[in-house]
């Protein structure tokens, strides 16, 4: 072909156009394959596969769903969260994932009242759910709540020295309140001395260890709500206090055993003898059946409960027991030394938590309120115990617990000699053979 | 097709006739063996600690996760350094040695030439990946690694190497100096490697595109045992794009006559 200027220019343009066209094609292919991926998990424990419940939960949002993650510059955390959410996106490509730095976008963070880094805001059909803990379990449950779309309100009684809902102190319930909000509950305070009655939209009333007795008027208001048949309450009472609710609880067959539970086993774990370890959970009750870790109470009293008298009466379950080798110390414990006194003290195990259920009426009573405070909530099973109790009271016991997958990929035992032999063989032997072969081939060819 | 194959085998043979390939393989294997040995050593140590403290927690310390995954992750860095040295000669050297006119005037189309060269390179890379795969494969004799995750990791390593190679072929077609080709390849690979850093910093839109372009994210998913069509497609698209670029270059050079 004869080349002149114009044919050359022609060829160049043609080449450029073909290049652009091809580039466009690659971009479209990249977009399409990334937008609609198919994914398989090849690990033998299925580590990267979402549980069936999660798949169903995210598939329900066929009109779209958005996840906004409020996170500062934190690569590892970001990767972790995005990997988890990405699994949901593979199942439902309508899910959009967005990361926002709350520090550089404070207005938006305030508008959505984002309190902690790593909060995920899920939004669909003008409703939203916030989660602070990013595990498959919490995301899936948030999706289920989002689908249902009702917010349940928890009201914590105040005015009698109960554990406050905010503050950094050891006794405060700040951490627990945060956990509950993360679960999608609204957490509020309730002052029955000033309110005429328990508000109608209340799901659960929590009485968290009053230091002094409730006023008779308050007890009356609470009882009225509870006896309407739909009341749900969690009553936590510490030893050596009077809550004023004892009379009402007696009508439910519940009475407190005065004194402090002593558990010598706690010593083994470095705790004092007045922090009993809950060693027995009821294996069939929704609150305790999936609990694996023992809970640790701090200064608890015992609870006695009469069995149900009427055949169609309420279901009464004793869910927590501990201090198998301990006792309920009736005497004074301030001296610092205690001793089992068979005449006065009650031998373990001691019951420390009970529940009563009759149709819509649900009641949970524990002999201690400190186990859910900032100082103790981190201990082994305490947080799960508290959250499960609230979930049961709020009728969220269908809350899905996703069990961690068993890791099948583990274990290695190489005898020391073999390991050394293999290591040296791989490090020196094979490379020397490789390089040697190269040298032999090269010298042979050179000699030719 | 037969012409492509003949050319691939010729290319492959010529690689193994030079001491460069053997030396690279030897050095690569020694480094990998050292890394793998220390990873296994660490695993054994951690396993002891784990057994002492964390009994009954979900079945033990994941073996593949602690040994195979980091080994393959580090091997990717070594390939990033080595592949430019292998791929640089493919086309650029023919031009420099003056054998190019013979090849260019042969009845082979530019596409056949590119594919033949690339296939030869793939054969070499296949040998490399198999050789490195011997190390983690030894674990199957003494422990219980996860075969699925192992194979998806090996596939990932091969795809990564193949993608590196395609970019190398593209760079080799762009110049007639092998050293320039190697530097170009290295630069391009490094750029594709780190391009995701910007995407990670939380930027939207453009950030997401950069995140997609990043080689390493796609590779890591395969290392984790997740086989996604999106990641497989990424490697194939980048490879095809590299080869297409090389073909277009050769086409233009042939027509323009140099």
């Amino acid at each position: 072909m004869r080349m002149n200027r114009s044919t050359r220019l022609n060829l160049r343009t043609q080449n450029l156009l073909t290049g652009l066209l091809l580039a466009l094609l690659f971009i479209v292919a990249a977009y399409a394959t990334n937008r609609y991926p198919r994914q398989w998990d090849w690990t033998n424990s299925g580590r990267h596969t979402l549980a069936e419940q999660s798949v169903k939960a995210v598939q329900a949002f066929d009109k779209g769903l958005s996840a906004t993650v409020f996170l500062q510059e934190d690569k590892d955390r970001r990767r972790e969260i995005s990997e988890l959410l990405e699994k949901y996106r593979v199942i439902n490509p309508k899910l959009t994932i967005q990361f926002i730095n709350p520090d550089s976008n404070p207005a938006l963070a305030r508008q959505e009242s984002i309190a902690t880094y790593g909060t995920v805001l899920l939004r669909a059909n003008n409703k939203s759910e916030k989660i602070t803990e990013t595990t498959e379990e919490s995301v899936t449950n948030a999706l289920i709540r989002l689908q249902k779309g009702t917010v349940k309100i928890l009201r914590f009684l105040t005015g009698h020295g109960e554990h406050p809902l905010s503050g950094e102190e050891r006794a405060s319930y700040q951490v627990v309140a945060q956990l509950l909000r993360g679960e999608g509950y609204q957490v509020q305070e309730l002052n029955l001395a000033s309110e005429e009655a328990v508000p109608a939209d209340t799901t659960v009333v929590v009485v968290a260890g009053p230091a002094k007795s409730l006023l008779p008027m308050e007890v009356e208001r609470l009882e009225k709500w509870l006896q309407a048949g739909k009341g749900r309450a969690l009553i936590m009472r510490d030893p050596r206090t009077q809550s004023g609710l004892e009379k009402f609880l007696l009508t439910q067959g519940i009475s407190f055993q005065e004194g402090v539970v002593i558990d010598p086993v706690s010593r083994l774990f470095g705790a004092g003898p007045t922090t009993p370890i809950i060693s027995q959970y009821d294996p069939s009750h929704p609150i305790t059946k999936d609990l694996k870790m023992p809970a640790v109470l701090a200064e608890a009293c015992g609870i006695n409960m009469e069995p149900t008298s009427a055949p169609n009466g309420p279901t009464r379950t004793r869910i927590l027991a501990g201090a198998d080798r301990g006792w309920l110390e009736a005497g004074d414990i301030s001296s610092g030394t205690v001793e089992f006194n068979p005449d006065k003290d009650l031998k373990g195990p001691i019951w420390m938590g009970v529940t009563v259920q009759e149709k819509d009426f649900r009641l949970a009573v524990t002999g201690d309120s400190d186990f859910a405070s900032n100082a103790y909530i981190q201990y082994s099973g305490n947080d799960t115990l508290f959250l499960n109790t609230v979930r049961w009271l709020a009728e969220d016991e269908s809350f899905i617990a996703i069990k961690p997958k068993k890791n099948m990929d583990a274990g290695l035992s190489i005898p020391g000699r073999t390991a050394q032999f293999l290591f040296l063989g791989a490090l020196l032997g094979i490379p020397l053979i490789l390089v040697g072969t190269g040298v032999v081939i090269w010298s042979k060819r050179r000699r030719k | 097709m037969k012409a492509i194959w003949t050319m691939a085998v010729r290319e492959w043979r010529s690689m193994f006739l030079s001491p460069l390939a053997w030396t690279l393989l030897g050095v690569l294997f020694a480094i990998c063996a050292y890394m793998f040995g220390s990873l296994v050593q660490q695993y054994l140590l951690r396993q002891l600690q784990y057994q002492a403290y964390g009994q009954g927690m979900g079945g033990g310390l994941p073996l593949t996760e602690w040994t195979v995954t980091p080994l393959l992750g580090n091997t990717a860095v070594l390939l990033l350094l080595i592949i430019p040295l292998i791929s640089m000669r493919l086309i650029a050297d023919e031009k420099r040695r003056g054998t190019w006119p013979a090849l260019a005037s042969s009845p082979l189309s530019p596409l056949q030439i590119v594919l033949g060269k690339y296939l030869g390179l793939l054969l070499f890379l296949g040998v490399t990946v198999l050789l490195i795969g011997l190390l983690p494969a030894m674990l199957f004799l003494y422990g219980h690694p996860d075969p699925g995750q192992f194979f998806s990791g090996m596939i990932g390593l091969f795809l990564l190497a193949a993608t590196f190679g395609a970019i190398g072929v593209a760079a080799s077609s762009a110049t007639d100096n092998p050293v320039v080709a190697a530097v170009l390849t290295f630069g391009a690979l490094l750029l594709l490697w780190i391009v995701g850093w910007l995407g990670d910093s939380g930027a939207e839109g453009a950030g997401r595109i950069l995140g997609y372009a990043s080689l390493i994210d796609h590779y890591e998913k395969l290392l984790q045992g997740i086989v996604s069509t999106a990641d497989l497609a990424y490697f194939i698209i980048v490879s095809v794009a590299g080869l297409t670029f090389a073909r277009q270059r050769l086409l233009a050079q042939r027509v323009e006559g140099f």
Side-chain angles (χ1 to χ4, degrees):
Chain A
M1 187 177 359
R2 266 181 59 85
M3 293 293 255
N4 57 32
R5 243 194 161 153
S6 81
T7 48
R8 193 166 286 209
L9 193 70
N10 246 337
L11 272 170
R12 288 234 163 116
T13 353
Q14 204 185 327
N15 239 330
L16 194 73
L17 278 177
T18 327
L20 280 177
L21 212 65
L22 285 168
L24 200 68
L25 193 74
F26 292 135
I27 290 169
V28 170
Y31 178 79
T33 50
N34 196 42
R35 189 81 183 81
Y36 301 99
R38 279 260 171 286
Q39 190 166 301
W40 298 273
D41 181 0
W42 283 18
T43 58
N44 60 8
S45 52
R47 206 150 29 94
H48 305 293
T49 312
L50 289 180
E52 210 177 309
Q53 303 100 312
S54 310
V55 173
K56 272 192 202 139
V58 74
Q59 271 173 345
F61 294 92
D62 48 3
K63 288 203 192 83
L65 167 70
S66 77
T68 313
V69 187
F70 291 86
L71 189 66
Q72 62 197 138
E73 310 252 331
D74 182 345
K75 260 194 190 168
D76 295 337
R77 192 77 197 286
R78 185 190 159 102
R79 176 163 295 232
E80 193 185 302
I81 296 177
S82 114
E83 262 170 23
L84 176 67
L85 294 176
E86 211 50 52
K87 288 185 209 163
Y88 287 88
R89 196 179 73 87
V90 170
I91 291 159
N92 185 351
K94 293 238 168 73
L95 168 67
T96 56
I97 303 165
Q98 194 186 9
F99 281 82
I100 285 180
N101 185 342
D103 297 338
S104 56
N105 204 339
L108 189 64
R110 205 175 313 121
Q111 187 193 325
E112 305 288 356
S113 54
I114 304 298
T116 48
Y117 292 118
T119 304
V120 182
L121 181 75
L122 296 160
R123 179 171 284 157
N125 320 322
N126 297 325
K127 281 180 284 191
S128 64
E129 277 290 332
K130 256 181 283 175
I131 45 170
T132 47
E133 188 194 358
T134 30
T135 59
E136 181 183 349
E137 199 169 86
S138 59
V139 172
T140 298
N141 283 292
L143 289 175
I144 293 169
R145 286 198 302 271
L146 194 59
Q147 190 70 15
K148 284 198 214 138
T150 45
V151 176
K152 294 183 174 171
I153 303 175
L154 312 175
R155 287 202 161 86
F156 283 68
L157 202 62
T158 59
H160 323 88
E162 288 94 345
H163 295 271
L165 287 175
S166 57
E168 301 282 330
E169 311 95 66
R170 284 165 50 81
S172 138
Y173 265 27
Q174 187 202 27
V175 177
V176 142
Q178 193 66 43
L179 285 174
L180 291 170
R181 290 194 188 101
E183 294 267 308
Y185 294 108
Q186 255 190 50
V187 180
Q188 295 181 357
E189 293 187 338
L190 172 65
N191 189 339
L192 274 181
S194 58
E195 298 237 16
E196 286 292 305
V198 176
D201 58 0
T202 310
T203 310
V204 181
V205 170
V206 181
V207 183
K212 55 180 202 247
S213 182
L214 275 70
L215 299 173
M217 173 185 70
E218 293 176 284
V219 176
E220 199 180 299
R221 284 170 183 168
L222 190 61
E223 260 181 65
K224 204 173 149 197
W225 181 67
L226 284 170
Q227 278 168 346
K230 283 177 95 172
R232 284 166 286 235
L234 168 58
I235 297 171
M236 296 183 276
R237 176 201 183 263
D238 293 302
R240 293 165 299 174
T241 60
Q242 285 297 317
S243 64
L245 291 163
E246 282 76 7
K247 231 164 122 192
F248 162 74
L249 290 176
L250 217 50
T251 66
Q252 300 297 328
I254 299 169
S255 58
F256 293 104
Q257 300 164 324
E258 293 310 329
V260 175
V261 179
I262 302 292
D263 185 1
V265 176
S266 329
R267 280 238 177 84
L268 295 178
F269 298 92
T274 58
T275 54
I277 291 167
I278 299 297
S279 49
Q280 297 174 31
Y281 286 128
D282 185 286
S284 58
H285 195 276
I287 295 180
T288 45
K289 69 175 180 208
D290 287 326
L291 285 180
K292 295 277 175 291
M293 307 273 278
V296 179
L297 305 193
E299 297 220 339
C301 59
I303 299 176
N304 188 28
M305 186 169 64
E306 305 294 327
T308 313
S309 44
N312 290 331
T315 319
R316 292 174 181 175
T317 321
R318 306 201 273 189
I319 57 167
L320 308 175
D324 299 5
R325 284 193 246 163
W327 65 91
L328 186 73
E329 173 69 39
D332 188 22
I333 58 158
S334 55
S335 65
T337 52
V338 283
E339 208 168 59
F340 180 59
N341 186 338
D343 302 338
K344 285 194 269 172
D345 299 339
L346 190 66
K347 210 173 156 2
I350 310 288
W351 292 97
M352 286 172 273
V354 297
T355 61
V356 180
Q357 180 182 10
E358 187 174 20
K359 294 190 191 108
D360 285 339
F361 168 77
R362 291 182 181 206
L363 179 68
V365 183
T366 61
D368 173 48
S369 69
D370 300 311
F371 75 98
S373 65
N374 286 357
Y376 291 95
I377 192 71
Q378 323 283 10
Y379 282 106
S380 57
N382 285 15
D383 48 355
T384 331
L385 172 63
F386 187 84
L387 288 179
N388 273 4
T389 309
V390 172
R391 284 172 192 148
W392 176 73
L393 288 168
E395 289 182 56
D396 282 331
E397 68 261 47
S398 60
F399 179 88
I400 286 153
I402 296 166
K403 291 194 183 69
K405 296 195 167 118
K406 194 176 175 338
N407 179 24
M408 322 275 281
D409 155 39
L412 179 70
S413 63
I414 306 184
R417 275 279 173 79
T418 322
Q420 277 171 8
F421 176 73
L422 286 176
F423 181 63
L424 286 179
L427 184 63
L428 299 172
I430 298 181
L432 279 179
I433 294 174
L434 287 171
V435 175
T437 319
V439 172
V440 168
I441 291 179
W442 173 69
S443 60
K444 263 190 184 166
R445 272 165 62 87
R446 229 165 67 123
R447 233 174 285 148
K448 278 180 195 167
Chain B
M1 189 62 225
K2 208 176 161 213
I4 297 177
W5 183 247
T6 318
M7 212 171 126
V9 173
R10 193 196 72 140
E11 200 63 46
W12 187 62
R13 270 181 50 116
S14 82
M15 275 180 203
F16 279 107
L17 285 177
S18 82
L20 175 73
W22 291 100
T23 319
L24 278 180
L25 278 183
V27 171
L28 183 66
F29 193 83
I31 297 175
C32 286
Y34 183 77
M35 289 194 301
F36 191 62
S38 58
L39 285 167
V40 169
Q41 176 76 22
Q42 271 176 34
Y43 177 83
L44 289 171
L45 201 71
R46 296 277 173 138
Q47 187 177 237
L48 275 181
Q49 293 173 344
Y50 192 85
Q51 278 162 355
Y53 296 111
Q55 262 172 359
M57 287 173 75
L61 206 58
L63 175 62
T64 318
E65 193 93 7
W66 277 74
T67 53
V68 182
T69 307
L71 170 77
L72 297 184
N74 291 341
T75 309
V77 184
L78 295 175
L79 290 183
L80 177 87
L81 300 170
I82 282 173
I83 289 182
L85 298 179
I86 306 276
S87 66
M88 64 181 186
R89 329 171 358 268
L90 284 174
I91 296 169
D93 207 35
E94 299 255 12
K95 290 187 208 154
R96 205 172 63 145
R97 280 192 310 187
T99 45
W100 182 249
L103 199 57
S105 55
S106 72
L108 292 171
S109 71
L111 183 65
Q112 281 175 319
I113 296 175
V114 169
L115 286 182
K117 297 259 177 196
Y118 183 59
L119 199 61
L121 181 64
L122 280 190
L123 286 175
F124 174 78
L125 294 176
V127 172
T128 314
V129 167
L130 282 180
L131 201 63
I132 292 168
L134 282 181
L135 289 168
M138 281 198 295
L139 288 183
F140 283 94
L141 297 176
Y142 301 97
H144 307 276
D146 188 334
Q149 198 180 353
F150 169 74
F151 282 118
S152 86
M154 293 308 295
I155 292 173
L157 187 67
F158 182 70
L159 283 175
L160 190 81
T163 309
F164 284 2
I167 292 169
V169 170
S172 188
S173 76
T175 167
D176 49 8
N177 184 339
V179 177
V180 174
V183 173
L184 278 179
T185 312
F186 181 70
L189 294 183
L190 203 60
L191 197 67
L192 271 185
W193 191 285
I194 61 171
V195 73
W197 293 359
L198 205 62
D200 268 353
S201 66
E204 282 308 310
R208 203 172 292 169
I209 295 172
L210 293 179
Y212 174 78
S214 166
L215 265 170
I216 207 69
D217 290 0
H218 300 280
Y219 181 48
E220 256 165 25
K221 270 174 80 186
L222 281 164
L223 289 188
Q224 293 297 321
I226 305 171
V227 182
S228 163
T229 51
D231 301 322
L232 301 181
Y234 169 86
F235 289 117
I236 294 171
I237 289 171
V238 175
S239 305
V240 172
L243 297 181
T244 311
F245 174 83
R247 178 203 175 236
Q248 291 301 109
R249 281 289 304 176
L250 295 194
L251 205 62
Q253 285 166 9
R254 176 176 282 191
V255 172
E256 292 191 20
F258 59 105

